[in-house]
Amino acid sequence: MEVLKHSDYITHIDNKEDLVYLKTKHFPVNIRLFKTSPEYKAIILQQCDYLETLVLTQMDGYKKPHGMSSANAGLSFNIIAICENRGKFNERAKIMINPIVTKLFGEKERSLSNCGSLTLKEPIEIYRYSCITVEYYNKRGEFKVDSFTRETGSMTIQHEIDHNNGVLITDLK
């Protein structure tokens, strides 16, 4: 397995030029154009493929990610990738275009969170809902509504959506 140099692929709060990606709300993908313009669709799918690669790749000095946002990758569209079945033989990336949490339910649970875009000596204690419902589009442009538990990625999805809204975990303390 190839190990990428973390600082060459992931935005970081210590790099001034990266702040625009980390502290700005990202553009929604225009789904109408995605469905009608092959050129526009190709641009968006290329970004989806890049996020898939990053979320499935071990990086130096960083644990294999649970998720990756466009903000992490220095891209400007609202797209996230979640690693499903992390570390298992059937590991894969789930791409969510324009994800929006539409329902928060279950208990608010404590999570020790860290982030590849920050330099933290210790994970930060964050409280997030254990169950969520998310509306998004997949890579085929199909509208989806799925619910997630802590075990299936609810905490990670909330974190990555926060990133694409310009919110870092240090902002939640």
Side-chain angles (χ1 to χ4, degrees):
M1 167 177 42
E2 179 184 5
V3 178
L4 300 179
K5 186 175 178 190
H6 180 263
S7 59
D8 289 343
Y9 289 89
I10 306 298
T11 56
H12 198 277
I13 196 80
D14 291 339
N15 298 321
K16 288 181 183 178
E17 62 270 22
D18 292 351
L19 292 179
V20 68
Y21 299 100
L22 294 171
K23 297 302 286 179
T24 302
K25 185 171 178 155
H26 283 57
F27 293 106
V29 171
N30 184 318
I31 297 300
R32 182 190 66 78
L33 289 177
F34 184 81
K35 291 178 177 181
T36 61
S37 169
E39 294 82 6
Y40 184 84
K41 184 176 186 173
I43 290 166
I44 300 305
L45 290 177
Q46 187 175 33
Q47 292 189 31
C48 292
D49 291 346
Y50 184 63
L51 284 174
E52 281 183 11
T53 298
L54 292 179
V55 81
L56 296 174
T57 303
Q58 177 73 48
M59 296 188 199
D60 71 323
Y62 185 66
K63 293 180 181 176
K64 194 169 194 178
H66 291 274
M68 190 68 59
S69 69
S70 292
N72 294 128
L75 305 171
S76 57
F77 286 105
N78 184 15
I79 306 167
I80 65 172
I82 304 304
C83 185
E84 295 183 314
N85 303 315
R86 184 173 174 247
K88 298 181 178 157
F89 75 94
N90 59 344
E91 179 179 83
R92 64 186 173 276
K94 179 184 201 81
I95 294 293
M96 297 180 180
I97 299 171
N98 297 342
I100 298 171
V101 175
T102 57
K103 185 177 179 186
L104 300 163
F105 56 103
E107 298 294 320
K108 249 189 163 179
E109 292 185 15
R110 176 179 175 265
S111 173
L112 291 177
S113 189
N114 211 331
C115 177
S117 292
L118 302 170
T119 303
L120 301 173
K121 292 182 182 180
E122 297 292 327
I124 293 178
E125 183 177 76
I126 301 291
Y127 286 84
R128 296 190 187 275
Y129 283 91
S130 60
C131 301
I132 61 173
T133 298
V134 181
E135 293 180 356
Y136 64 96
Y137 291 87
N138 65 17
K139 287 174 55 173
R140 291 183 297 280
E142 299 165 335
F143 181 73
K144 299 288 187 180
V145 179
D146 288 326
S147 292
F148 298 86
T149 63
R150 186 174 186 141
E151 293 75 27
T152 59
S154 66
M155 303 289 189
T156 299
I157 292 167
Q158 290 170 83
H159 175 81
E160 300 309 340
I161 288 174
D162 281 350
H163 262 307
N164 282 353
N165 285 322
V167 178
L168 297 172
I169 59 173
T170 50
D171 298 332
L172 301 174
K173 285 178 64 174

